[in-house]
Amino acid sequence: MIDSALVALLFVQLMCILAVCRGLGWLFARVRQPLVVAEMVAGFLLGPSFFGWLLPHIQGRLFPPASLHTLFVLSQLGLVLYMFSVGLEFRVDLVTRYRRRAIGISAAGIAVPFVLGGVLAIVMVRGGGFFTEQVRPFHAVLFLGAAMSITAFPVLARIISERGIAGTTIGSLALAAGAMDDAAAWIALAIVLSSFTGNATLALAAAGGALLYVGLVFLGVRRFLGRLAAAAERDDAVSAGTFVTMLCLLACGAWFTDVVGIHSVFGAFVLGVSVPRGVLSRDLRRTIEPLTMALLVPLFFMYSGLNTRLMLIDSWALWIMTAVVFLTACASKGLACWAAARLSGAASRDALAIGTLMNARGMVELILINIGLQRGLITPTLFAILVLMAIGTTVMTGPLFSLIWEREGEPAVDHGLTVDRAPLA
């Protein structure tokens, strides 16, 4: 296919993807589901598992193999910008303020799913067909443990904001614990990717490169960012020059972490966390998020959907494994966080709400498993199973939370400690 035809096809693809995402977004909003859930489902429906099964000829013409590279590149750009925004939204102050109670909830929400995920990984490695041949049990345990223990911090933040509990104790605790869970999961993934090559030199270079990057960002770049933030505070706005400078730093960080063998999203996230909070972080989010969330993120979901083939789950044994993965993910994460919250002194209703919120996995889960598929860690079969788990746990979060928290006659607010908080987009 010639370049001009690919460009013309890209515009048709964009029109179809955005139309389906917005249409489903309108429908899902009626049942109080966040837009990200609609976009996850849209990517799945437009892929081979539904559209390709229903109308294979039309789906093949709309998304031919020759066009997938363009979608991949745009989706990766979207991921970098998205994870940078997630880093800008990361609440270090909440982690510090609620560290004692949040550490307990986060530790339980990481340890229990990680252990049970590790047990499942060993079963899968022995059974075959879920991880690639070069994956050792150590890598399988770390990867599936991270996939089970992750919490979708952005989805969690938006649900909390939409329900009006952003400044309450329960909302702050859930955000702090979710932030810790995400950080731990990305560290586990970084360990897997850095050691997966089997080459000790490359593994050490990746680990050393990641540590070097974090050190440079927080000990060097952050001082420079402080000057940019001070200028933004004086002007109450971010200048065009500052915005371009931040984009250059973001591209540099994404390139470096990708070159050393981790992943570009790690560099984007770390840089976002390092940006001083105030006018600079606020305006960066306001500038970057609209285009990223409206255009580039749906392309990532589309690319994930094109890689998801439910027809690979073609036996009762695989469907049983899918159910086991889903139930293990829900029970280990939700029940562990509920128990930890109860032990920290939370009321039963509050603890159930925290456990439900922490069980959302969302886009962060899809990012993690897409990296696993691209780097040759998992097979398309396990990828499809984990996509179903990610969609299922995210879809169920909103309705379950409403059922628990917004009972008839009870206000959707907590009576606990209130903290100052900027509104989440």
Side-chain angles (χ1 to χ4, degrees):
M1 188 176 289
I2 60 175
D3 291 343
S4 59
L6 279 176
V7 172
L9 179 61
L10 175 64
F11 290 122
V12 176
Q13 291 173 337
L14 290 176
M15 178 185 66
C16 294
I17 293 168
L18 296 180
V20 172
C21 285
R22 287 296 153 176
L24 285 178
W26 181 84
L27 290 174
F28 276 56
R30 307 282 76 79
V31 291
R32 302 185 68 184
Q33 290 281 8
L35 179 60
V36 66
V37 174
E39 291 171 341
M40 290 173 69
V41 174
F44 174 78
L45 293 179
L46 287 172
S49 296
F50 181 77
F51 187 25
W53 169 77
L54 196 64
L55 299 168
H57 181 68
I58 297 177
Q59 202 267 352
R61 291 285 300 273
L62 184 59
F63 299 105
S67 70
L68 299 187
H69 181 70
T70 304
L71 288 177
F72 172 76
V73 172
L74 290 175
S75 70
Q76 295 306 297
L77 175 61
L79 281 187
V80 168
L81 291 171
Y82 175 78
M83 289 305 294
F84 178 63
S85 296
V86 172
L88 291 173
E89 198 175 33
F90 191 87
R91 298 297 305 275
V92 178
D93 60 317
L94 289 181
V95 174
T96 303
R97 184 173 300 183
Y98 290 96
R99 59 184 178 274
R100 290 185 180 179
R101 295 175 68 184
I103 285 174
I105 295 171
S106 177
I110 294 170
V112 177
F114 204 99
V115 170
L116 294 182
V119 173
L120 269 179
I122 293 172
V123 173
M124 289 178 175
V125 169
R126 290 177 177 175
F130 299 99
F131 293 92
T132 56
E133 293 182 357
Q134 64 268 36
V135 172
R136 292 177 292 176
F138 169 74
H139 299 127
V141 167
L142 279 182
F143 180 83
L144 197 58
M148 288 288 190
S149 60
I150 206 165
T151 292
F153 180 78
V155 174
L156 178 69
R158 278 156 180 78
I159 291 174
I160 287 173
S161 180
E162 289 169 3
R163 296 302 195 269
I165 59 170
T168 65
T169 301
I170 182 177
S172 300
L173 272 176
L175 285 170
M180 292 180 185
D181 277 16
D182 266 14
W186 286 113
I187 291 171
L189 180 64
I191 294 172
V192 174
L193 294 178
S194 64
S195 62
F196 180 58
T197 59
N199 186 316
T201 302
L202 291 178
L204 289 174
L211 291 174
L212 175 64
Y213 176 75
V214 172
L216 285 174
V217 167
F218 283 96
L219 298 179
V221 176
R222 186 173 170 83
R223 295 182 181 178
F224 174 68
L225 295 178
R227 292 197 289 271
L228 295 182
E233 293 291 339
R234 286 194 302 270
D235 300 335
D236 195 31
V238 172
S239 66
T242 298
F243 182 66
V244 172
T245 301
M246 289 304 306
L247 290 180
C248 289
L249 289 173
L250 176 59
C252 183
W255 166 80
F256 181 80
T257 50
D258 203 53
V259 165
V260 299
I262 305 299
H263 198 275
S264 55
V265 297
F266 181 78
F269 176 74
V270 170
L271 182 64
V273 173
S274 72
V275 175
R277 299 305 184 254
V279 174
L280 178 60
S281 61
R282 181 200 69 192
D283 283 10
L284 284 174
R285 285 185 58 209
R286 287 180 177 177
T287 306
I288 291 172
E289 281 192 355
L291 182 64
T292 301
M293 300 305 295
L295 177 64
L296 297 176
V297 166
L299 295 185
F300 167 75
F301 288 122
M302 184 66 243
Y303 189 77
S304 298
L306 290 172
N307 285 323
T308 305
R309 292 172 171 80
L310 277 189
M311 62 284 296
L312 294 175
I313 309 176
D314 56 1
S315 67
W316 281 109
L318 288 176
W319 280 110
I320 290 172
M321 179 59 77
T322 303
V324 169
V325 168
F326 180 78
L327 292 174
T328 302
C330 294
S332 61
K333 188 76 172 181
L335 292 179
C337 292
W338 167 80
R342 287 289 286 155
L343 290 173
S344 69
S348 179
R349 175 174 172 247
D350 295 0
L352 280 174
I354 289 175
T356 301
L357 289 170
M358 293 291 288
N359 193 46
R361 286 169 176 84
M363 184 177 173
V364 181
E365 176 79 15
L366 291 183
I367 294 173
L368 186 144
I369 62 178
N370 267 278
I371 294 173
L373 184 66
Q374 293 162 16
R375 295 294 179 92
L377 283 164
I378 61 176
T379 64
T381 301
L382 181 55
F383 180 83
I385 291 173
L386 293 177
V387 166
L388 289 179
M389 183 268 284
I391 293 176
T393 55
T394 307
V395 167
M396 66 189 287
T397 298
L400 274 180
F401 181 78
S402 295
L403 182 66
I404 294 167
W405 190 251
E406 298 173 11
R407 296 170 183 169
E408 187 176 355
E410 294 183 2
V413 294
D414 188 16
H415 54 272
L417 179 65
T418 300
V419 296
D420 294 331
R421 195 187 195 295
L424 288 165

